[in-house]
Amino acid sequence: YEIYLNGLAGLRPPYPTDVAGLEQAARRHLAPEPYGYVAGSAGTGATERANREAFDRWRIVPRMLREVSVRDLSTELFGRTYPAPVALAPIGVQSIVHPHGELATARAAASLGVPAVLSTASSHTLEEVAEAGGPRWYQLYWPHDDEVTLSLLDRAAKSGYDTLVVTLDTWTLAWRPTDLDHAYLPFLRGTGLAIPLSDPVFRSRLERPVEEDLNAAILRWAPMFHGRSHTWDRLSLLRDNWDGPIVLKGVQHVDDALRAADAGMDGVVVSNHGGRQVDGAMASLDALPAVAAAVGERLTVLFDSGIRTGADVLKALALGARAVLLGRPYVWGLAVGGEEGVRHVVRSLLADLDLTLGLAGHRTPADLDPSALEAR
Ligand code: FNR
């Protein structure tokens, strides 16, 4: 009602409340290259479209005359209670859309109590971002230098990041035509490297200080962080050196989810990176039910890729996710309004989720199961 009451005083919401309108507003704010970087996906965009089409194949079946006037969105993840089953996905190089980048995102998330997952490809150091307070999760792009890896984990733990999200699906960048046509890769300009470039162990690998020779530092960073995959047997390095929960992001196959459980992981994010990696890959939502059925008792199953509305969140929860990660939509909010814009997007999503949950006849996320939906 906040928005309608403001309307009585002649005020309109400062930013569009639907994601498509917000994306259009962001596009007007941004140069084609950064807009294309965020909006773009791999190849023909088939997987990005599939992500959305999969949501459309499920329909909510509302139930009536239930006591749902007061809802409770609070959700327990890894032994900690959060206000809602929503976190902000790790998104790198946020300063390409707003100078405050990850700082603004972290402040908005902290003000709402939702976790913001900080990317290793951040434009600000993890120590700076930690000052925003709030729940802190750290996403690792896993370097091929164990001492650098351990240094990043150590810094994250010391700065109060309690949950580690290890992204598996982006050990090298996919074929992304928009960025290729623009010949645009933020990292090669030094953007998104604040965490490695500030790392004492990484710096000790350089012949000359970063400040004197940025290009040499970038050339050192590239093969350390990109171009080679790790293997399952190496997960023990992370398990042995991280006390908190570890979540593997980018899981689509049931067997990979089972291996994650066997490797002592605490969770998985069913994700295809928003369709930015394997063009032609299955929709992330289509991967969710089988993964949840296989490991839901052993692991916390999170989901992303395609979440745009409260109904989308409801569908993912009903199909087995404990919580979802919000991706591109909050970046559009960041582009148009910095911290305030991110807060607007997250508050809008949570209000939409709360209304949709209640109108569909459910009081809490835990009340949802596949019977809340019908497959078209
Ligand atoms: C991402 N994503 C991502 N994931 C990750 O683990 N580390 C990262 O640094 C990034 N960076 C990144 C940048 C941009 C511009 C985008 C759009 C995405 C993937 C992200 O965490 C998430 O999986 C997707 O955004 C989910 O898809 P949707 O909902 O945005 O379509």
Side-chain angles (χ1 to χ4, degrees):
Y1 287 104
E2 182 183 317
I3 290 177
Y4 294 127
L5 288 173
N6 284 339
L8 297 177
L11 296 173
R12 293 274 180 89
Y15 318 105
T17 53
D18 77 300
V19 173
L22 201 66
E23 177 174 345
Q24 279 171 23
R27 188 172 196 165
R28 289 194 292 273
H29 265 70
L30 296 172
E33 293 83 2
Y35 170 77
Y37 185 77
V38 178
S41 49
T44 61
T47 298
E48 192 195 348
R49 284 193 301 280
N51 284 340
R52 291 298 309 147
E53 285 161 10
F55 280 98
D56 211 33
R57 285 200 306 276
W58 290 99
R59 292 290 158 100
I60 298 165
V61 187
R63 303 295 306 274
M64 300 297 135
L65 293 175
R66 291 174 160 187
E67 185 40 86
V68 292
S69 339
V70 181
R71 274 88 56 199
D72 178 3
L73 291 182
S74 64
T75 300
E76 195 190 306
L77 300 171
F78 311 113
R80 189 167 165 172
T81 303
Y82 295 97
V86 175
L88 301 191
I91 293 208
V93 295
Q94 292 183 23
S95 63
I96 65 173
V97 305
H98 191 282
H100 298 160
E102 294 81 2
L103 298 173
T105 296
R107 286 175 192 141
S111 70
L112 299 172
V114 303
V117 191
L118 180 68
S119 165
T120 293
S122 171
S123 340
H124 300 272
T125 67
L126 54 84
E127 291 82 2
E128 288 170 305
V129 176
E131 282 171 25
R136 290 195 278 291
W137 297 15
Y138 175 64
Q139 177 263 325
L140 183 70
Y141 276 136
W142 188 354
H144 285 275
D145 180 324
D146 289 352
E147 286 177 26
V148 173
T149 302
L150 297 185
S151 177
L152 297 181
L153 297 187
D154 185 52
R155 288 170 64 194
K158 283 197 176 118
S159 300
Y161 295 80
D162 54 27
T163 302
L164 183 68
V165 177
V166 185
T167 299
L168 305 179
D169 57 18
T170 310
W171 51 270
T172 196
L173 281 181
W175 187 255
R176 296 182 182 172
T178 309
D179 300 333
L180 292 165
D181 289 347
H182 289 146
Y184 180 74
L185 189 59
F187 307 103
L188 294 188
R189 299 155 188 245
T191 308
L193 303 186
I195 293 176
L197 295 191
S198 63
D199 189 79
V201 178
F202 176 80
R203 292 171 78 99
S204 74
R205 303 285 188 261
L206 303 174
E207 272 153 32
R208 296 172 59 202
V210 176
E211 294 70 21
E212 279 176 26
D213 196 344
L214 177 63
N215 284 342
I218 293 169
L219 287 177
R220 187 84 208 204
W221 163 84
M224 195 186 288
F225 282 81
H226 274 282
R228 275 185 296 155
S229 168
H230 286 281
T231 46
W232 286 100
D233 52 300
R234 302 222 67 237
L235 278 177
S236 56
L237 178 83
L238 305 181
R239 185 65 287 172
D240 292 345
N241 289 284
W242 183 262
D243 289 337
I246 306 183
V247 184
L248 300 185
K249 176 170 181 280
V251 169
Q252 299 275 280
H253 199 292
V254 167
D255 290 352
D256 286 348
L258 289 167
R259 286 199 82 157
D262 292 342
M265 301 293 109
D266 301 278
V268 289
V269 187
V270 175
S271 166
N272 58 27
H273 216 96
R276 296 164 71 81
Q277 287 297 93
V278 180
D279 191 36
M282 71 190 297
S284 192
L285 194 72
D286 287 338
L288 176 61
V291 170
V295 298
E297 305 276 300
R298 296 167 73 194
L299 299 178
T300 297
V301 176
L302 308 176
F303 170 86
D304 80 25
S305 297
I307 295 286
R308 299 292 177 268
T309 66
D312 297 340
V313 181
L314 189 155
K315 290 176 187 178
L317 299 178
L319 292 175
R322 179 75 70 84
V324 303
L325 309 187
L326 182 66
R328 290 180 181 91
Y330 84 80
V331 185
W332 304 137
L334 178 66
V336 298
E339 177 184 343
E340 200 49 53
V342 176
R343 195 162 25 243
H344 164 83
V345 171
V346 179
R347 287 189 70 211
S348 299
L349 180 76
L350 296 186
D352 181 9
L353 171 61
D354 176 57
L355 292 171
T356 307
L357 189 75
L359 289 170
H362 309 283
R363 206 183 66 76
T364 72
D367 295 338
L368 293 166
D369 64 34
S371 72
L373 308 180
E374 180 206 52
R376 278 173 81 201

Coordinates of all heavy atoms in Angstrom, one line a residue, residues 34 37-40 48 51-52 88-94 96 117-122 139-141 165-170 176 187 249 269-276 303-308 325-332, ligand 1:
P34 N 28.4 -1.8 -21.4 CA 28.0 -2.4 -20.1 C 26.6 -2.9 -20.1 O 26.3 -4.0 -19.5 CB 28.1 -1.2 -19.1 CG 28.3 0.0 -19.9 CD 28.8 -0.4 -21.3
Y37 N 26.8 -6.3 -21.6 CA 27.5 -7.2 -20.8 C 26.5 -7.8 -19.8 O 26.6 -9.0 -19.5 CB 28.7 -6.5 -20.0 CG 29.5 -7.5 -19.2 CD1 30.4 -8.4 -19.9 CD2 29.3 -7.7 -17.9 CE1 31.1 -9.3 -19.1 CE2 30.0 -8.6 -17.1 CZ 30.9 -9.4 -17.8 OH 31.6 -10.4 -17.1
V38 N 25.7 -7.0 -19.2 CA 24.7 -7.5 -18.2 C 23.6 -8.3 -18.9 O 23.2 -9.4 -18.4 CB 24.2 -6.4 -17.3 CG1 23.1 -6.9 -16.3 CG2 25.3 -5.6 -16.6
A39 N 23.0 -7.7 -19.9 CA 21.9 -8.3 -20.6 C 22.2 -9.6 -21.4 O 21.4 -10.5 -21.5 CB 21.2 -7.3 -21.5
G40 N 23.4 -9.6 -21.9 CA 23.8 -10.6 -22.8 C 23.9 -12.0 -22.2 O 23.9 -12.2 -21.0
E48 N 19.0 -18.7 -22.1 CA 18.4 -17.6 -21.4 C 16.9 -17.7 -21.7 O 16.1 -17.5 -20.7 CB 19.0 -16.3 -21.8 CG 18.6 -15.2 -20.9 CD 18.9 -13.8 -21.4 OE1 19.6 -13.7 -22.4 OE2 18.3 -12.9 -20.8
N51 N 15.3 -20.6 -19.9 CA 15.1 -20.3 -18.4 C 13.7 -19.7 -18.2 O 13.0 -20.1 -17.3 CB 16.2 -19.4 -17.9 CG 17.5 -20.1 -17.7 OD1 17.5 -21.3 -17.6 ND2 18.6 -19.3 -17.7
R52 N 13.4 -18.7 -19.0 CA 12.1 -18.0 -18.8 C 10.9 -18.9 -19.2 O 9.9 -19.0 -18.6 CB 12.0 -16.7 -19.6 CG 13.0 -15.6 -19.1 CD 12.6 -15.2 -17.7 NE 11.2 -14.9 -17.5 CZ 10.5 -15.1 -16.4 NH1 11.1 -15.6 -15.4 NH2 9.2 -14.8 -16.4
L88 N 20.9 -12.1 -3.0 CA 21.3 -11.4 -4.2 C 22.5 -12.3 -4.8 O 23.5 -12.5 -4.1 CB 21.8 -10.0 -3.9 CG 20.7 -9.1 -3.3 CD1 21.1 -7.6 -3.4 CD2 19.4 -9.3 -4.1
A89 N 22.3 -12.7 -6.0 CA 23.3 -13.5 -6.7 C 24.7 -12.8 -6.8 O 24.7 -11.5 -6.9 CB 22.8 -13.9 -8.1
P90 N 25.8 -13.5 -6.8 CA 27.1 -12.9 -7.1 C 27.1 -12.4 -8.5 O 26.9 -13.1 -9.4 CB 28.1 -14.0 -6.9 CG 27.3 -15.3 -7.1 CD 25.9 -15.0 -6.7
I91 N 27.4 -11.1 -8.6 CA 27.5 -10.5 -9.9 C 28.7 -9.6 -9.9 O 28.8 -8.7 -9.0 CB 26.2 -9.7 -10.3 CG1 25.1 -10.7 -10.5 CG2 26.4 -8.8 -11.5 CD1 23.9 -10.3 -11.4
G92 N 29.6 -9.9 -10.8 CA 30.9 -9.2 -10.8 C 30.8 -7.8 -11.5 O 29.8 -7.4 -12.0
V93 N 31.9 -7.1 -11.4 CA 32.1 -5.9 -12.1 C 31.0 -4.9 -12.1 O 30.7 -4.2 -13.0 CB 32.5 -6.1 -13.6 CG1 33.8 -6.8 -13.7 CG2 31.5 -6.8 -14.4
Q94 N 30.4 -4.7 -10.9 CA 29.2 -3.9 -10.8 C 29.5 -2.4 -11.0 O 28.5 -1.6 -11.3 CB 28.5 -4.1 -9.5 CG 27.8 -5.5 -9.4 CD 27.1 -5.7 -8.1 OE1 26.6 -4.8 -7.5 NE2 26.9 -7.0 -7.7
I96 N 30.6 -1.2 -13.6 CA 30.4 -0.8 -14.9 C 28.9 -0.2 -15.1 O 28.6 0.4 -16.1 CB 30.5 -2.0 -16.0 CG1 29.5 -3.1 -15.8 CG2 32.0 -2.5 -16.0 CD1 29.6 -4.2 -16.8
V117 N 25.7 -12.0 -2.1 CA 26.8 -12.8 -2.3 C 27.8 -12.0 -3.1 O 27.6 -11.6 -4.2 CB 26.4 -14.1 -3.1 CG1 27.6 -15.1 -3.1 CG2 25.2 -14.7 -2.6
L118 N 29.0 -11.8 -2.5 CA 30.0 -11.0 -3.1 C 30.8 -11.8 -4.1 O 31.4 -12.8 -3.7 CB 30.9 -10.3 -2.1 CG 32.0 -9.4 -2.7 CD1 31.4 -8.2 -3.3 CD2 33.1 -9.1 -1.7
S119 N 30.9 -11.3 -5.3 CA 31.7 -12.0 -6.3 C 33.2 -11.8 -6.2 O 33.6 -10.7 -5.8 CB 31.3 -11.5 -7.7 OG 32.2 -11.9 -8.7
T120 N 34.0 -12.8 -6.5 CA 35.4 -12.6 -6.6 C 35.8 -11.6 -7.6 O 36.8 -10.9 -7.6 CB 36.1 -14.0 -6.9 OG1 36.0 -14.9 -5.8 CG2 37.6 -13.8 -7.2
A121 N 34.9 -11.4 -8.6 CA 35.1 -10.4 -9.7 C 34.6 -9.1 -9.3 O 34.1 -8.3 -10.1 CB 34.5 -10.9 -11.0
S122 N 34.7 -8.7 -8.0 CA 34.1 -7.5 -7.5 C 35.0 -6.3 -7.9 O 36.2 -6.4 -8.1 CB 34.0 -7.5 -6.0 OG 33.7 -6.3 -5.4
Q139 N 31.5 -15.4 -2.9 CA 31.6 -16.3 -4.0 C 33.0 -16.4 -4.5 O 33.7 -15.4 -4.8 CB 30.7 -15.8 -5.1 CG 30.7 -16.7 -6.4 CD 31.7 -16.1 -7.5 OE1 31.8 -14.9 -7.6 NE2 32.4 -17.0 -8.2
L140 N 33.5 -17.7 -4.6 CA 34.9 -17.9 -5.1 C 34.9 -18.2 -6.5 O 34.3 -19.2 -7.0 CB 35.5 -19.0 -4.2 CG 36.9 -19.4 -4.5 CD1 37.9 -18.2 -4.0 CD2 37.3 -20.7 -3.9
Y141 N 35.7 -17.5 -7.3 CA 36.3 -18.0 -8.5 C 37.6 -18.5 -8.1 O 38.5 -17.8 -7.7 CB 36.4 -16.8 -9.6 CG 35.1 -16.6 -10.3 CD1 34.7 -15.3 -10.6 CD2 34.3 -17.6 -10.8 CE1 33.5 -15.0 -11.3 CE2 33.2 -17.4 -11.5 CZ 32.8 -16.1 -11.8 OH 31.6 -15.9 -12.4
V165 N 30.4 -19.7 -1.5 CA 29.7 -20.1 -2.8 C 30.8 -20.3 -3.8 O 31.5 -19.4 -4.2 CB 28.7 -19.1 -3.2 CG1 28.0 -19.5 -4.5 CG2 27.6 -18.8 -2.2
V166 N 31.0 -21.6 -4.3 CA 32.0 -21.8 -5.2 C 31.4 -22.0 -6.6 O 30.6 -23.0 -6.8 CB 32.8 -23.1 -4.8 CG1 34.0 -23.3 -5.8 CG2 33.3 -23.0 -3.4
T167 N 31.7 -21.1 -7.5 CA 31.1 -21.2 -8.9 C 31.9 -22.1 -9.8 O 33.1 -21.9 -10.0 CB 31.0 -19.8 -9.4 OG1 30.2 -19.0 -8.6 CG2 30.3 -19.8 -10.8
L168 N 31.2 -23.1 -10.3 CA 31.9 -24.2 -11.1 C 31.7 -24.0 -12.6 O 32.5 -24.5 -13.3 CB 31.3 -25.6 -10.7 CG 31.3 -25.9 -9.2 CD1 30.6 -27.3 -9.1 CD2 32.7 -25.9 -8.6
D169 N 30.7 -23.2 -13.0 CA 30.4 -23.2 -14.4 C 31.1 -22.2 -15.2 O 30.9 -22.1 -16.4 CB 28.8 -23.1 -14.6 CG 28.3 -21.8 -13.9 OD1 29.1 -20.9 -13.6 OD2 27.1 -21.8 -13.7
T170 N 32.0 -21.4 -14.6 CA 32.6 -20.3 -15.3 C 34.1 -20.3 -15.2 O 34.7 -19.3 -14.9 CB 32.0 -19.0 -14.9 OG1 30.5 -19.1 -15.0 CG2 32.3 -17.8 -15.8
R176 N 30.2 -15.3 -26.1 CA 29.2 -14.4 -25.8 C 29.2 -13.3 -26.9 O 30.0 -12.3 -26.8 CB 29.4 -13.7 -24.4 CG 29.3 -14.7 -23.3 CD 29.5 -14.0 -21.9 NE 29.4 -15.0 -20.8 CZ 29.7 -14.6 -19.6 NH1 30.0 -13.4 -19.2 NH2 29.6 -15.6 -18.6
F187 N 37.3 -7.1 -17.4 CA 38.5 -7.5 -16.7 C 39.8 -7.0 -17.3 O 40.8 -6.7 -16.7 CB 38.5 -9.0 -16.6 CG 37.3 -9.6 -16.0 CD1 36.4 -10.2 -16.8 CD2 37.0 -9.5 -14.7 CE1 35.2 -10.7 -16.3 CE2 35.8 -10.0 -14.1 CZ 34.9 -10.6 -15.0
K249 N 27.9 -23.8 -6.9 CA 27.0 -23.0 -7.8 C 27.2 -23.5 -9.2 O 28.4 -23.5 -9.7 CB 27.2 -21.5 -7.6 CG 26.4 -20.7 -8.6 CD 26.5 -19.2 -8.2 CE 25.7 -18.3 -9.1 NZ 26.3 -18.0 -10.3
V269 N 23.7 -24.6 -5.7 CA 22.9 -23.7 -6.4 C 22.6 -24.3 -7.8 O 23.5 -24.4 -8.6 CB 23.5 -22.2 -6.6 CG1 22.4 -21.3 -7.2 CG2 24.0 -21.7 -5.3
V270 N 21.3 -24.7 -8.0 CA 20.9 -25.1 -9.3 C 20.9 -23.9 -10.2 O 20.1 -23.0 -10.0 CB 19.6 -25.8 -9.3 CG1 19.1 -26.2 -10.7 CG2 19.7 -27.1 -8.4
S271 N 21.8 -23.8 -11.1 CA 22.0 -22.5 -11.9 C 22.7 -22.8 -13.2 O 23.5 -23.7 -13.3 CB 22.9 -21.6 -11.1 OG 23.4 -20.5 -11.9
N272 N 22.3 -22.1 -14.3 CA 23.1 -22.2 -15.5 C 23.7 -20.8 -15.8 O 23.9 -20.4 -17.0 CB 22.3 -22.8 -16.7 CG 21.1 -22.0 -17.0 OD1 21.0 -20.8 -16.7 ND2 20.1 -22.7 -17.6
H273 N 23.9 -20.0 -14.7 CA 24.6 -18.7 -14.9 C 23.7 -17.8 -15.7 O 24.3 -16.9 -16.5 CB 26.0 -18.9 -15.5 CG 27.0 -18.0 -15.0 ND1 27.9 -18.3 -13.9 CD2 27.4 -16.7 -15.3 CE1 28.7 -17.3 -13.7 NE2 28.4 -16.3 -14.5
G274 N 22.4 -17.9 -15.6 CA 21.6 -17.0 -16.4 C 21.7 -17.2 -17.9 O 21.5 -16.3 -18.7
G275 N 22.1 -18.4 -18.3 CA 22.2 -18.7 -19.8 C 23.4 -18.1 -20.4 O 23.5 -17.9 -21.6
R276 N 24.4 -17.7 -19.5 CA 25.6 -17.0 -20.0 C 26.7 -17.9 -20.4 O 27.8 -17.5 -20.8 CB 26.1 -16.0 -19.0 CG 25.0 -14.9 -18.7 CD 25.3 -14.1 -17.5 NE 26.5 -13.3 -17.5 CZ 26.5 -12.0 -18.0 NH1 25.4 -11.6 -18.6 NH2 27.6 -11.3 -18.0
F303 N 18.5 -22.0 -5.9 CA 18.2 -21.9 -7.3 C 18.4 -20.5 -7.8 O 18.1 -19.5 -7.2 CB 16.7 -22.3 -7.5 CG 16.3 -22.0 -9.0 CD1 16.5 -23.0 -9.9 CD2 15.7 -20.8 -9.4 CE1 16.1 -22.8 -11.3 CE2 15.4 -20.6 -10.7 CZ 15.6 -21.6 -11.6
D304 N 18.9 -20.4 -9.1 CA 18.9 -19.2 -9.8 C 18.8 -19.4 -11.3 O 18.9 -20.6 -11.8 CB 20.0 -18.2 -9.5 CG 21.3 -18.4 -10.1 OD1 21.4 -19.0 -11.2 OD2 22.3 -18.0 -9.5
S305 N 18.6 -18.4 -12.0 CA 18.6 -18.3 -13.5 C 17.1 -18.1 -14.0 O 16.4 -19.1 -14.2 CB 19.2 -19.5 -14.2 OG 20.6 -19.5 -13.9
G306 N 16.7 -16.9 -14.1 CA 15.4 -16.6 -14.6 C 14.4 -16.0 -13.6 O 13.3 -15.7 -14.0
I307 N 14.8 -15.8 -12.3 CA 13.9 -15.3 -11.4 C 13.6 -13.8 -11.7 O 14.5 -13.0 -11.7 CB 14.5 -15.4 -9.9 CG1 14.6 -16.8 -9.5 CG2 13.6 -14.6 -8.9 CD1 13.3 -17.5 -9.2
R308 N 12.3 -13.5 -11.9 CA 12.0 -12.1 -12.2 C 10.8 -11.5 -11.3 O 10.7 -10.3 -11.1 CB 11.5 -11.9 -13.7 CG 12.6 -12.3 -14.7 CD 13.8 -11.3 -14.7 NE 14.9 -11.7 -15.6 CZ 15.9 -12.4 -15.2 NH1 16.1 -12.9 -14.0 NH2 16.9 -12.7 -16.1
L325 N 18.3 -17.1 -5.7 CA 19.2 -15.9 -5.9 C 18.7 -15.1 -7.0 O 18.3 -15.6 -8.1 CB 20.6 -16.4 -6.3 CG 21.3 -17.5 -5.5 CD1 22.8 -17.6 -5.9 CD2 21.3 -17.1 -4.0
L326 N 18.6 -13.8 -6.7 CA 18.1 -12.8 -7.7 C 19.3 -12.3 -8.5 O 20.3 -11.9 -7.9 CB 17.4 -11.7 -7.0 CG 16.8 -10.6 -7.9 CD1 15.6 -11.2 -8.7 CD2 16.3 -9.4 -7.0
G327 N 19.3 -12.3 -9.8 CA 20.4 -11.9 -10.7 C 20.2 -10.5 -11.3 O 20.1 -9.5 -10.7
R328 N 20.1 -10.6 -12.7 CA 20.0 -9.3 -13.4 C 19.1 -8.2 -12.9 O 19.5 -7.0 -12.9 CB 19.7 -9.6 -14.9 CG 20.8 -10.3 -15.7 CD 20.4 -10.6 -17.1 NE 21.3 -11.3 -17.9 CZ 21.3 -12.6 -18.1 NH1 20.5 -13.4 -17.4 NH2 22.2 -13.2 -18.9
P329 N 17.9 -8.6 -12.4 CA 17.0 -7.5 -12.0 C 17.6 -6.5 -11.0 O 17.4 -5.3 -11.2 CB 15.8 -8.2 -11.4 CG 15.8 -9.5 -12.1 CD 17.2 -9.9 -12.3
Y330 N 18.4 -6.9 -10.1 CA 18.9 -5.9 -9.1 C 20.0 -5.1 -9.7 O 20.3 -4.0 -9.3 CB 19.3 -6.6 -7.8 CG 20.7 -7.2 -7.7 CD1 21.8 -6.4 -7.5 CD2 20.8 -8.6 -7.8 CE1 23.1 -7.0 -7.3 CE2 22.1 -9.2 -7.7 CZ 23.2 -8.4 -7.4 OH 24.4 -8.9 -7.3
V331 N 20.6 -5.6 -10.8 CA 21.7 -4.8 -11.5 C 21.0 -3.7 -12.2 O 21.5 -2.6 -12.3 CB 22.5 -5.7 -12.4 CG1 23.6 -4.9 -13.0 CG2 23.1 -6.9 -11.7
W332 N 19.8 -3.9 -12.8 CA 19.0 -2.8 -13.4 C 18.7 -1.8 -12.4 O 18.8 -0.6 -12.6 CB 17.8 -3.3 -14.1 CG 18.0 -4.4 -15.1 CD1 17.3 -5.6 -15.3 CD2 19.0 -4.5 -16.1 NE1 17.8 -6.3 -16.3 CE2 18.9 -5.7 -16.9 CE3 20.1 -3.7 -16.5 CZ2 19.7 -6.1 -17.9 CZ3 21.0 -4.1 -17.5 CH2 20.7 -5.2 -18.2
Ligands
FNR1 C1 26.8 -13.0 -13.3 N1 26.8 -14.2 -12.6 C2 28.0 -14.4 -11.8 N2 28.0 -15.6 -11.1 C3 29.1 -15.8 -10.3 O1 29.1 -16.8 -9.6 N3 30.1 -14.8 -10.2 C4 30.1 -13.7 -10.9 O2 31.0 -12.9 -10.8 C5 29.0 -13.5 -11.8 N4 28.9 -12.4 -12.6 C6 27.8 -12.1 -13.3 C7 27.8 -10.9 -14.0 C8 26.6 -10.6 -14.7 C9 26.5 -9.3 -15.4 C10 25.5 -11.5 -14.7 C11 24.2 -11.1 -15.4 C12 25.6 -12.7 -14.0 C13 25.7 -15.2 -12.6 C14 24.7 -14.8 -11.5 O3 25.2 -15.1 -10.2 C15 23.4 -15.6 -11.7 O4 23.7 -17.0 -11.7 C16 22.6 -15.2 -12.9 O5 22.6 -13.8 -13.0 C17 21.2 -15.8 -12.8 O6 20.5 -15.5 -14.0 P1 19.4 -14.3 -14.2 O7 18.4 -14.5 -13.1 O8 20.2 -13.0 -14.0 O9 18.9 -14.5 -15.6

